[in-house]
Amino acid sequence: MTDVAGTPILEAPVAEGSKDQTMVLNMGPQHPSTHGVLRLVLEIDGEIVNRLYPEIGYLHTGIEKTCEAKFYQQVVPLTDRIDYLSPMHNNLCYCLAVEKLLELPIPDKAQWIRVLLSELTRLNSHLVWLGTHAMDIGALTVFLYTFREREDILRIFEHVSGQRMMTSYFRIGGLAMEPPIDFFDRVKAFIKTFPEKIDEYSNLLTGNPIFVNRLQNVGHLSAEDAIALGVTGPPLRASGVDFDLRRDMPYSSYEKFQFDVPVSNRCDVWGRYQVRLEEMRQSVRIINQALAGMPEGPVKADAPKIVLPDREKMKTQMESLIHHFKIVTEGFAVPAGEVYQGIESSRGQMGYYIVSDGTAKPYRVHMRNPSFASLQALETMCQGRMLADVVAVIGSIDVVLGEIDR
Amino acid sequence: MSETLPDKESVLREMANHPAVSAIAAWNAEALTDARWDRNELTLTIAREEIVAAARTVQQAGYNFLEDVTAVDWFPAIPRFQISYHIVSHSHKERIRLRVLVDEASPSLETITNVWPSANYYEREVFDLFGVRFDGHPNMRRIMMPEDWSGHPLRKDYPVEGYR
């Protein structure tokens, strides 16, 4: 089989003798289990997958090129669009990277609210993963339940930022604004009832023989393979590698929080399911700590030439008006240099590599997104397994195609 | 990259006990053309021919996880392209950056897919968007753009909008 340019897509496919029994099957780019526009070219022998080749690049929005033409602060809303299930993680990673370039200290309260919101985002993203993963396997009820809880989180996001999905609430130098007065009460109310909801999902799935048989011993990925293939996040920890950036290379005051990093030695889809479920419980723990110990103070850094002034100040003080005008029309210059900031997003290690040449626009912005790397491991996980297992494995790496796009 | 930054010799002297610096210095100090310590990040510039050996060296020094490979186009500077490798160590709990400069006349260097198979997609992405070839790569084809696309979109002389 060849592509447009005549280059063979799948070479040296099968063992001798079985060659005439194989067929090439295209799965996606609109198959419901591929969660977006992922196309898989599968070579199957009966129902057994011999080879698998992910074909990506259907989106291509040119996001990195666009970033190079914007001011630093104008890139924040673009980062929302990369991973539509965890916009806050992208905001956070980008802002942290620029703040590192500027060497700008951020007030404690802003950092804690960032942690709180990133953990809510993790819950939001894991809820979609759990619902759709269960639906891929054939369990529809959980999907309806998880989206019920996700709605609560989206309402909190809307309350704090004005947007349900594309929040853009984090800014270079802190947050866009002070959260509304009853924000913490709303989070408290949600987080109080949420742990029993996790138990509810677990009760529906963990003891379900169909779900267990479809997940256990499927999609094996050893620790060596996981590291070699660049897999991060829950799939890596489900292969027995105990590494989490929140604990091991802390950012945004994560070092002040107590939480466990769930690790499983099962190396299969079931392990990834268990790790993510436990991660949701740990997120609840972190949010509770953030609510209990929220520091007082401002949510914006004291840097008038970088952070937009409050609306009130702008109307009453000439200085603030000038700063506002300068930031909006000219942006702010960032000292030359290059930084890499990694964070633990819901899908794994996310990284922003920003090169500055000393002007108000980034010279180069590169995003390292976890799904892109995890996709490379798909063939290893699916080889020799049944076609139906591919569906379970895709769900287990929790792929978001917006992330894979460049 | 201002002149106030410490130069190669002082970085090597002050960070002699750093696992990556000591491993590279013990292996081949000549291949290390520059070293920088900026904003708590270590950048080691490696001669183009030596990148595979350098990658193996840091891998053995405990930097076990290749996080990312990407490029920067310094057009119209010479050499034009900079390839950045970001490598994390799970045991040392830190990150280093290897940097290789590639000129425009022969934009190619050796692949490190034999050291880390995960470099496969990253290098294809660099090839697709910058046009830097990786010799010995198992599948050096475009990954994002259509096969018949002309030009490499992330190069600085490629327009941001409009027709080419």
Side-chain angles (χ1 to χ4, degrees):
Chain A
M1 179 180 172
T2 58
D3 58 25
V4 194
T7 325
I9 287 182
L10 293 161
E11 284 175 275
V14 272
E16 284 294 311
S18 63
K19 200 156 190 171
D20 50 350
Q21 293 169 10
T22 64
M23 77 181 234
V24 171
L25 182 78
N26 282 296
M27 189 170 157
Q30 62 288 90
H31 189 276
S33 84
T34 52
H35 300 273
V37 287
L38 172 66
R39 173 175 160 230
L40 298 175
V41 184
L42 299 158
E43 191 190 273
I44 49 177
D45 181 0
E47 271 193 81
I48 306 294
V49 176
N50 276 333
R51 294 204 51 170
L52 178 157
Y53 183 85
E55 186 75 46
I56 57 181
Y58 280 86
L59 283 168
H60 204 79
T61 55
I63 191 141
E64 288 180 4
K65 188 81 174 170
T66 314
C67 291
E68 289 173 10
K70 303 274 177 204
F71 291 137
Y72 277 93
Q73 76 270 24
Q74 289 175 322
V75 175
V76 176
L78 294 179
T79 60
D80 285 337
R81 271 81 184 163
I82 295 168
D83 177 355
Y84 40 83
L85 292 183
S86 45
M88 299 258 193
H89 287 144
N90 283 286
N91 287 177
L92 177 64
C93 197
Y94 174 75
C95 290
L96 285 173
V98 178
E99 285 155 9
K100 201 170 175 184
L101 267 173
L102 288 162
E103 299 180 275
L104 182 70
I106 305 304
D108 281 347
K109 189 177 179 186
Q111 294 198 15
W112 282 55
I113 293 176
R114 281 177 175 188
V115 167
L116 192 155
L117 285 169
S118 331
E119 291 308 317
L120 272 181
T121 307
R122 191 180 315 277
L123 289 179
N124 168 29
S125 169
H126 278 4
L127 283 173
V128 176
W129 155 78
L130 183 63
T132 53
H133 189 37
M135 197 171 63
D136 288 346
I137 308 295
L140 190 68
T141 317
V142 185
F143 178 76
L144 300 173
Y145 284 10
T146 55
F147 270 64
R148 183 186 62 193
E149 270 75 72
R150 180 174 184 256
E151 193 58 35
D152 293 340
I153 300 181
L154 291 184
R155 285 212 188 98
I156 293 174
F157 285 174
E158 189 178 12
H159 184 57
V160 72
S161 71
Q163 280 291 322
R164 284 157 59 84
M165 280 177 86
M166 304 304 166
T167 51
S168 301
Y169 183 57
F170 298 172
R171 293 292 146 84
I172 297 160
L175 303 173
M177 62 194 108
E178 192 81 35
I181 310 161
D182 56 342
F183 165 69
F184 294 113
D185 295 333
R186 285 202 186 197
V187 179
K188 237 173 242 169
F190 168 74
I191 217 70
K192 206 173 158 203
T193 55
F194 188 63
E196 62 199 54
K197 303 281 170 53
I198 304 178
D199 295 338
E200 197 178 346
Y201 314 141
S202 177
N203 289 341
L204 276 168
L205 295 172
T206 310
N208 181 331
I210 301 173
F211 194 70
V212 171
N213 286 333
R214 287 289 304 276
L215 262 59
Q216 284 191 349
N217 303 319
V218 170
H220 187 270
L221 186 71
S222 67
E224 295 77 45
D225 281 350
I227 289 175
L229 290 166
V231 175
T232 50
L236 181 72
R237 291 191 283 276
S239 294
V241 180
D242 188 8
F243 188 75
D244 188 314
L245 284 176
R246 287 177 294 169
R247 182 197 61 196
D248 296 324
M249 294 163 77
Y251 51 89
S252 193
S253 77
Y254 262 108
E255 66 277 2
K256 292 177 185 147
F257 291 87
Q258 296 288 320
F259 59 97
D260 298 325
V261 175
V263 178
S264 162
N265 285 316
R266 289 198 56 99
C267 306
D268 60 0
V269 177
W270 183 254
R272 284 160 222 149
Y273 161 74
Q274 284 181 318
V275 164
R276 285 211 182 86
L277 218 55
E278 182 56 31
E279 250 187 35
M280 283 163 68
R281 296 204 171 92
Q282 295 299 329
S283 288
V284 172
R285 237 178 110 187
I286 298 176
I287 294 172
N288 276 326
Q289 290 172 45
L291 285 171
M294 183 61 66
E296 290 296 312
V299 295
K300 292 176 181 178
D302 181 23
K305 289 190 193 308
I306 292 164
V307 182
L308 283 183
D310 288 334
R311 208 75 193 161
E312 249 342 278
K313 260 188 175 174
M314 204 188 98
K315 288 175 185 164
T316 51
Q317 295 177 11
M318 194 62 203
E319 279 284 282
S320 298
L321 185 64
I322 294 170
H323 287 313
H324 184 281
F325 182 74
K326 293 272 265 187
I327 294 172
V328 171
T329 54
E330 294 171 8
F332 49 86
V334 172
E338 50 186 333
V339 292
Y340 193 94
Q341 176 68 46
I343 71 162
E344 191 75 29
S345 88
S346 28
R347 268 159 277 286
Q349 211 158 310
M350 175 186 285
Y352 272 65
Y353 174 54
I354 302 182
V355 181
S356 166
D357 58 349
T359 61
K361 290 176 181 175
Y363 191 75
R364 169 106 171 90
V365 179
H366 176 70
M367 299 127 187
R368 187 260 189 222
N369 288 107
S371 299
F372 183 69
S374 298
L375 256 195
Q376 298 192 71
L378 199 59
E379 183 170 10
T380 314
M381 290 194 270
C382 294
Q383 236 163 10
R385 303 291 314 188
M386 303 279 264
L387 182 56
D389 291 341
V390 177
V391 176
V393 174
I394 297 173
S396 80
I397 62 172
D398 190 16
V399 59
V400 162
L401 271 295
E403 277 199 329
I404 289 169
D405 169 42
R406 283 291 158 272
Chain B
M1 280 155 231
S2 61
E3 278 82 61
T4 53
L5 288 173
D7 60 345
K8 178 189 163 187
E9 272 67 35
S10 65
V11 170
L12 285 182
R13 214 178 319 114
E14 281 164 28
M15 305 190 66
N17 293 324
H18 188 280
V21 173
S22 60
I24 292 274
W27 155 68
N28 184 357
E30 292 297 301
L32 183 69
T33 54
D34 193 20
R36 276 180 200 283
W37 176 255
D38 183 23
R39 295 176 175 90
N40 292 321
E41 291 188 9
L42 180 68
T43 309
L44 301 172
T45 309
I46 307 289
R48 184 167 82 166
E49 307 75 37
E50 301 288 349
I51 181 61
V52 178
R56 281 236 161 75
T57 310
V58 293
Q59 189 188 38
Q60 279 153 13
Y63 291 81
N64 58 335
F65 190 86
L66 178 73
E67 202 176 32
D68 201 3
V69 178
T70 188
V72 183
D73 180 7
W74 288 111
F75 181 77
I78 296 171
R80 178 170 174 180
F81 298 107
Q82 164 194 336
I83 315 289
S84 302
Y85 301 82
H86 291 97
I87 304 164
V88 175
S89 164
H90 286 170
S91 49
H92 303 310
K93 300 191 192 329
E94 63 163 351
R95 174 182 293 121
I96 56 166
R97 177 184 304 123
L98 297 186
R99 187 164 165 261
V100 177
L101 295 171
V102 178
D103 54 353
E104 197 186 356
S106 60
S108 70
L109 72 165
E110 242 183 294
T111 174
I112 59 161
T113 44
N114 294 328
V115 188
W116 283 288
S118 58
N120 190 322
Y121 273 26
Y122 308 145
E123 288 180 350
R124 273 178 74 188
E125 191 188 315
V126 170
F127 165 66
D128 190 354
L129 304 177
F130 286 91
V132 178
R133 294 195 76 90
F134 291 86
D135 302 327
H137 188 285
N139 191 12
M140 192 84 278
R141 298 194 298 128
R142 285 187 181 273
I143 188 166
M144 297 288 170
M145 309 298 288
E147 285 289 331
D148 52 355
W149 193 265
S150 68
H152 301 283
L154 278 184
R155 287 190 174 193
K156 285 283 174 188
D157 52 359
Y158 193 98
V160 179
E161 52 186 35
Y163 295 99
R164 202 167 138 78

